[in-house]
Amino acid sequence: MQISLSLLSFDGSLKQKIEKACRSPHDLIHIDYMDDIDLEYTIKELRKKNRKIDLHIVSSKPEAVINLLISRNLLDLLNYCFVQIENIDKKNLKNLFADSRVSPAIMVSTESSDFIKFLKMSDTILIMSST
């Protein structure tokens, strides 16, 4: 088991959050991405500081985020990449998880039977216990 520290735990600018998070002894830095930060800058800065990264995509357009990560060679810099699945049309889920580097994230309250085939396809699942 690994313990992640959320970048959102800290106040201040993105640069200050990264600096504070990198001083922690946690195994990974958890990024909740909601189309709100410079993702490329954040990933590159954390990797420069030799930090492992756990990206949690809570974007309204996860396909676009994954395409950005792939096109800019950022997906391989992540230790984990999760997509929150509750608000995504189930028809699009298969495409999201076609890349084995992308895994599902679900809320504890989610009825897993709705997503069981996608959960079974994944080596890793992020289960969120808080919002």
Side-chain angles (χ1 to χ4, degrees):
M1 178 169 51
Q2 297 184 58
I3 307 292
S4 295
L5 172 69
S6 176
L7 198 60
L8 293 179
S9 300
F10 303 101
D11 292 326
S13 67
L14 181 56
K15 182 179 179 180
Q16 291 170 322
K17 290 178 183 194
I18 291 170
E19 289 172 6
K20 291 174 186 176
C22 287
R23 290 194 295 264
S24 81
H26 294 80
D27 301 308
L28 297 113
I29 305 300
H30 178 86
I31 304 168
D32 284 304
Y33 182 68
M34 298 170 270
D35 304 313
D36 56 346
I37 61 170
D38 184 337
L39 192 54
E40 183 171 5
Y41 168 79
T42 303
I43 291 169
K44 287 182 176 180
E45 284 300 304
L46 289 170
R47 292 304 294 164
K48 275 187 209 174
K49 298 175 186 313
N50 294 315
R51 294 310 305 252
K52 292 181 179 180
I53 304 168
D54 158 13
L55 176 63
H56 179 203
I57 301 171
V58 193
S59 169
S60 59
K61 299 175 186 169
E63 298 93 345
V65 177
I66 292 168
N67 289 335
L68 171 96
L69 293 169
I70 291 169
S71 70
R72 296 195 182 166
N73 297 313
L74 298 171
L75 192 56
D76 286 329
L77 297 178
L78 304 171
N79 297 83
Y80 300 99
C81 180
F82 300 102
V83 175
Q84 195 69 39
I85 62 177
E86 285 85 358
N87 296 328
I88 299 171
D89 184 342
K90 290 180 191 164
K91 295 174 200 164
N92 297 331
L93 288 176
K94 185 176 182 181
N95 294 336
L96 281 173
F97 303 115
D99 190 314
S100 63
R101 298 171 292 179
V102 180
S103 300
I106 63 171
M107 297 298 301
V108 148
S109 59
T110 296
E111 181 58 49
S112 63
S113 62
D114 292 343
F115 305 103
I116 197 72
K117 76 177 179 180
F118 300 104
L119 300 178
K120 286 182 177 180
M121 290 172 34
S122 302
D123 292 333
T124 307
I125 300 166
L126 175 64
I127 300 174
M128 296 300 297
S129 60
S130 64
T131 56

